[in-house]
Every structure is written in structure tokens, then in C-alpha cells.
Amino acid sequence: MNRLFGVALLAGVVTVGLSCGGKGPTMTGPGEVKVRLTSPNSGLDSAIVFTVTGPTALTTAVPGAGLRLFQQPLGGTSTRFALIGQLNTGAVILTIGVQDISELSQYSGSITGVAKPNYTLRPLPGGYALALTR
């Protein structure tokens, strides 16, 4: 009888555990967002200017490894950034702090210009993009 009760209890715990798996908890509150670059000229660009826009002001901005950051003061719903250094596709070029990570889908980035190593501007025909992710 005890063995049957134990098996039934274990089966119930496993069933409840599996039903609670779902998508996991929804994150809210302050958090960090990574800005990744997609470039058709990976490793061949040396500067980028872009703007991040969202529902609230950013709280922090930290450049990716090997990059030097210039920025407007944080505040307001859009902030312009300039990064200098070797820009590689897929690399995190900037990590920004946001007031509420659950609003991530409301943030976007738009590229204004990209420069070659000699700092002449490239035309932006396509292939350049910014992705904002956790």
C-alpha cells in the first residue's frame, strides 16, 4: 500500500512539474539589451552611427569589446550613438540598460551611417541591420 501511494505521489509531482514548464516566467523590471550588428562588410567597417528609440529613456550604455563609444546624454526616448573600432557581423556592439525589459519589443535601432577604415562613408544599400535582444 505504501509503495502504491509513493508511486502515485511521484506521478502527481511529475505531472504538475511538466504542466508548469510552459514558456517560463515573464521578465519585468530593469534589464540589459544587447545590440548586434549585421553587416555585408564584416570586419571591414571602422565606425557606425545609429539611433536607439524606445518607450522610455535608456539607463546605461556600454560599448562592445574593442569599441570606443560616443553618445548623446541618456534621457528621452531616442539616443544617438557613434562607435569606432572594427565592426564584425554578429558581434555585440553595444549593451544598453532599459527600465523595463518586458518592453523590449518596443525598442528599435536605425543606422545613420557606416564608415570604412579610412573613415569615408559607405552607401547603405542594404545588408546592414541592428538586432536588439536579451
Side-chain angles (χ1 to χ4, degrees), residues 26-134:
T26 301
M27 303 264 315
T28 60
E32 290 186 342
V33 175
K34 297 184 183 325
V35 179
R36 293 186 188 273
L37 174 68
T38 297
S39 166
N41 299 301
S42 183
L44 301 176
D45 296 320
S46 294
I48 187 170
V49 176
F50 61 96
T51 302
V52 173
T53 304
T56 59
L58 303 178
T59 58
T60 60
V62 178
L67 299 175
R68 186 168 179 201
L69 174 65
F70 300 90
Q71 71 184 51
Q72 290 179 316
L74 299 177
T77 57
S78 69
T79 306
R80 188 174 222 182
F81 298 96
L83 289 167
I84 296 176
Q86 185 176 17
L87 301 170
N88 297 306
T89 287
V92 174
I93 60 171
L94 186 69
T95 301
I96 54 176
V98 297
Q99 295 178 29
D100 188 351
I101 196 71
S102 69
E103 296 178 335
L104 174 61
S105 65
Q106 297 179 43
Y107 287 87
S108 64
S110 60
I111 300 171
T112 307
V114 177
K116 300 175 189 178
N118 64 1
Y119 295 107
T120 59
L121 287 176
R122 285 190 187 276
L124 292 175
Y128 286 92
L130 297 175
L132 281 69
T133 61
R134 278 194 226 187

